[in-house]
Amino acid sequence: MSAAGSLLAVVPAAAVLLLTVVTRPRGAAGVAPLRLAVVRAALLGGAYAVLVVEVLGASHALTRPAFVAAWLFFLLACAAAARVRWRRDATAARQPAAAPRPVPVGAAVAVGVGPALSASGTDEGPAGRGDRPAGRARGSLLARALDRWRTAGRGERLLAGTVGGLVLVELLVALLAEPNNFDSQTYHLPKVEHWVAQGDLDFWPTAIHRQVTIPPGAEYLLLHLRLLTGGDHLHNLVQWAAGVLCLLVATRITAQLGGGRRAQLLTAFVLATTPMVVLQATSTQTDLVCAAWVACTATLVLDGLRRRTGWGTLLGLGAATGLTAVTKTSGLIAVGPLLVLWGLAQLRLALAGRAAAAGGSTARPAPAHRPVAGTARVICGSVLILLVAAVVVGPFLARVTAEFGHPLGPPRLRESIPMERHDPPSILVNALRIGHTAFDTPLAPLRDLGGKAIIGGADAIGVDPQDRAITFGRERFPEPAWYPDEDRVAFPIAGALALVGAVLALARPRRIDGGQVGPLRAYAVVVLATVLLHTSMIKWQPWGNRLLLYALVLALPLAGLWLDALLRRGASAARNATNAAGRGGRRRSVATVTVAVVLVTSALAGMLALSYGFPRRLVGSGSVFTTSDWDTRFLRRPQWADEFRWAAGAVRDSGARRIGLVEQNDNWEYPWWLLLRQPDGRSPELVSLQSVLPERPPADPTSVDAIVCTGAKAACAKLVPAGWRLEFRDYVGYALPPGR
């Protein structure tokens, strides 16, 4: 990556930072205004990035100059808007401060700045400070952060320090490690390279249908980095940034549900130390990106539970929905219930006629027309959300529909991952298998016992536990998932905490927060509905844990709230029974110790995943410090590294320009794009000699100068023209015409 590429990569980040200034709430901001500004900026930046790709793709202008111009324009626009905002805030700061008006307790709870939140649930600091306009907040952001650190207890500092340390080390790994995710070698990164080579988003003949049928939202973001920097050295930063966004949004959700500073830190701690999060944060997978958009939807929905949603937030909900759909359609399993919750809450406010609910004043009886107008507003808002989402995801769905006659792609895609049986026994067996894999531990006897029990139970109710209608591909249940591998690692600690927190929030919300009963129950219903829908719609597969990541991020705020409630009760017991003589006091002390043990265990799991996780680790064989760039790319399959180089070297030496590809559905294509790149950095001319797209025939083998193959030698030999020389090793081969 060149120095110019490094500077250009800073432009999108700078634009998003300026957007946080522009979109920071004015006046009495409610819960965590700075984090809300980050959410708004991320959604605006993400939607802009997607639309830039769509517009330039439709114009056949997916080129570096076009992307540089688009981002410089956006940066200048953000800078101008930020300057206007700064001037307005400075003017407001010079105005005489109005006398504070008493705020009813009910109103404080409604806007989220009551006693339970004002001291620690907002970004404005102590109680009362959040009621001032943003421009009048005392001191700088850094000063407030230092003040928070000084006033934090030892435990809170330890939680925050651990989270911060993990995030920084993950950033280091993300920068040092080359992209080496298996799916990325097969279709995530080849997809990006095809766009760069074509200059547009048109589909192409390919043997790997996932290159054109899987939603490309995360790859759109990678495309920006690819064109701005000229390479893939910063590709891991997309998932790392998504992980940071997940942390910020999850803590804001915790605050919205009544959690103070400690509850928010507990949420961040459990999420940050979950091995799946640790490993995906340095990857080119797409699950954290999807989880981030789902979490953004959730926090905006919670803002609408007790106050009317403004048009800006409606645009944000539409953008979040569209970004989720264009990134990973499974995320809509959560977005759907969330939007239903938002709609019901807005209708309740409209029918109650409480136009002043957001301000907290006692509402007078509304005129008869007010509920009708409010209902119409909710309907219009819902339509606006869907329209904005359609603008974001619509172009991709239109291309898929035009190609395959269905917005969800070809039959093989629609039947491979979604459940094909929906009878209660099949759903139950699928849910039990998904849970078994998600809660897997290194204790093999426990895993075997659970697997046998599920298989036996499935047989007893007449369901084949290996039925293809409820099982992905040819996989067989059970499959170990405890090892810290980015594609399949289990999350027993985080999952158990989230499950207990969700159940308690639904059944006994007052044990968590007596002042947030309604929102807690409503949010728990959404979380549990999401899990139920996921297990009813997605087949079991060995790597299904990563597909659950969006639901885990959604649920962990409830875990943080529950852990904080346990610690709070333990501290109260300690104050009331200093001699620890009572039986109840002993129980609460045990609960406090248990929380500490769980947190320590979670921290160890996260640190071990970061240190020894696969396929990127800090120490041991394959360390990012001791492994070469090329070998890092092949840690999944080290035996293939030399084979790719051998074949690519022979093809380059032959002088071939137009090169044919022969591969199967799960083969690696991306190394060819790296090894066969032109000396001036331009993309090679790679064309597929096979195609699973009926309307896009493959290239004629006699029209290419050379052929490169992966997978089976027999499949390659069938496509090599007569008289060509075919050389093949274990996985990789090449063929050249006579005279080359």
Side-chain angles (χ1 to χ4, degrees), residues 14-54:
V16 173
L17 286 176
L18 288 171
L19 277 177
T20 61
V21 176
V22 176
T23 60
R24 187 180 174 94
R26 294 185 175 90
V31 179
L34 179 56
R35 279 170 279 178
L36 176 57
V38 171
V39 169
R40 292 172 173 176
L43 292 174
L44 282 172
Y48 179 78
V50 169
L51 294 177
V52 163
V53 172
E54 292 290 358

Side-chain angles (χ1 to χ4, degrees), residues 143-416:
R144 294 200 299 274
L146 292 175
D147 181 64
R148 295 280 186 83
W149 183 261
R150 285 193 297 268
T151 59
R154 184 181 303 174
E156 293 176 342
R157 291 184 180 183
L158 184 59
L159 292 172
T162 302
V163 172
L166 284 171
V167 169
L168 290 177
V169 177
E170 288 163 6
L171 174 60
L172 176 64
V173 174
L175 291 171
L176 292 178
E178 303 298 319
N180 61 0
N181 173 263
F182 194 102
D183 285 347
S184 296
Q185 307 286 351
T186 301
Y187 67 96
H188 290 309
L189 301 186
K191 187 185 301 186
V192 174
E193 295 301 325
H194 276 287
W195 293 332
V196 173
Q198 296 177 171
D200 57 41
L201 300 173
D202 290 346
F203 291 163
W204 53 91
T206 178
I208 304 174
H209 76 88
R210 291 174 293 174
Q211 291 183 358
V212 296
T213 57
I214 299 292
E219 290 89 342
Y220 282 175
L221 303 181
L222 293 177
L223 177 62
H224 286 270
L225 289 177
R226 168 66 175 85
L227 287 173
L228 291 176
T229 67
D232 62 7
H233 303 289
L234 298 182
H235 278 8
N236 292 331
L237 292 185
V238 171
Q239 280 264 106
W240 178 83
V244 173
L245 182 58
C246 285
L247 288 172
L248 294 175
V249 180
T251 57
R252 184 172 192 264
I253 293 173
T254 306
Q256 289 172 293
L257 295 174
R261 180 166 59 189
R262 185 174 62 186
Q264 296 170 51
L265 287 173
L266 286 167
T267 298
F269 184 89
V270 176
L271 179 59
T273 55
T274 300
M276 178 64 76
V277 175
V278 171
L279 293 168
Q280 289 244 349
T282 62
S283 170
T284 46
Q285 264 293 5
T286 61
D287 303 285
L288 271 178
V289 178
C290 174
W293 301 137
V294 171
C296 288
T297 307
T299 195
L300 294 181
V301 165
L302 287 176
D303 279 340
L305 292 189
R306 285 177 168 164
R307 63 174 180 266
R308 297 272 288 275
T309 299
W311 296 110
T313 302
L314 290 173
L315 294 175
L317 284 170
T321 302
L323 288 169
T324 302
V326 81
T327 300
K328 213 174 187 72
T329 50
S330 58
L332 295 177
I333 295 174
V335 171
L338 284 167
L339 292 181
V340 169
L341 174 62
W342 170 84
L344 292 175
Q346 292 294 297
L347 281 174
R348 179 183 62 83
L349 291 174
L351 295 176
R354 295 182 179 179
S361 59
T362 303
R364 291 178 295 178
H369 69 277
R370 186 68 58 79
V372 176
T375 302
R377 178 186 173 93
V378 174
I379 294 174
C380 292
S382 302
V383 172
L384 179 60
I385 291 172
L386 296 178
L387 287 176
V388 173
V391 169
V392 176
V393 72
F396 168 71
L397 293 181
R399 289 194 298 274
V400 173
T401 303
E403 190 72 32
F404 301 104
H406 196 287
L408 298 181
R412 65 184 302 175
L413 177 64
R414 302 198 303 270
E415 297 169 1
S416 61

